[in-house]
Each structure stands twice: as structure tokens, then as C-alpha cells.
Amino acid sequence: MKYIEIHKLALAGNDIRQMKRYIDAIVDIRDDYIHNLIHRFVVMLKKYDQLDVISFKPGDKYWKELDAIDVFVAKKEEEDILVESY
């Protein structure tokens, strides 16, 4: 993922699905690194507008991370509005 971001490569659907299969193989390991990996994967998909390439199930780790990112962004935007109103 870091290589893709550094070199600003285009993401193909097959590449994304393969990356998800690799992550799925280790997703049940309870480790902060795995959580960070899922976070970076979801952020990358959102950044490149590729969320529709793979399916998320409500309640799975990808879904929860996507929801957490959206809540964080909404909260951040809300805070910016409050700061600007003063």
C-alpha cells in the first residue's frame, strides 16, 4: 500500500481483491498492526474511490473501520464549523 501511495499508481479491481484476500488470511489475529493495516487499506480505498470494488458486511472489521473513519471525518468537519463561527 505504501508503494502504491508513494508512486501514485492506479488500482485495478483485481489488485484490490487480491490485497483483501491477503488481509483476510490474517485479519483474525489480535494485534495493533493488523488493525492499522485494515485502517490503511480502507483509507486507501476511500482515497482512490474504490470502495465499491469489494463488498463489506455490516459488523466485519472493514465495515467497522470504514464507519469509524466516517464518524471521525464528520466530527472533524463539525469542529471546523464551530471554530469558524467564533
Side-chain angles (χ1 to χ4, degrees):
M1 287 186 286
K2 189 176 243 184
Y3 183 83
I4 291 169
E5 292 173 8
I6 289 172
H7 297 284
K8 300 186 184 344
L9 300 176
L11 290 173
N14 291 335
D15 295 333
I16 293 170
R17 286 186 283 279
Q18 184 64 40
M19 289 170 60
K20 185 175 184 295
R21 281 192 289 272
Y22 289 144
I23 295 171
D24 284 343
I26 60 172
V27 76
D28 292 327
I29 299 171
R30 292 184 180 207
D31 187 6
D32 288 337
Y33 180 77
I34 303 300
H35 177 74
N36 187 33
L37 177 66
I38 294 169
H39 173 80
R40 289 182 56 211
F41 181 66
V42 172
V43 167
M44 182 184 69
L45 292 179
K46 190 168 183 163
K47 178 180 177 181
Y48 287 96
D49 196 28
Q50 296 290 327
L51 287 170
D52 59 340
V53 173
I54 59 174
S55 59
F56 298 106
K57 295 176 186 173
D60 73 1
K61 293 185 180 194
Y62 301 98
W63 182 276
K64 289 177 184 176
E65 192 59 36
L66 181 61
D67 190 39
I69 291 168
D70 288 341
V71 167
F72 177 74
V73 170
K75 186 180 263 188
K76 188 175 181 180
E77 289 175 359
E78 185 177 297
E79 289 172 359
D80 290 342
I81 291 169
L82 291 174
V83 170
E84 290 176 7
S85 68
Y86 287 106

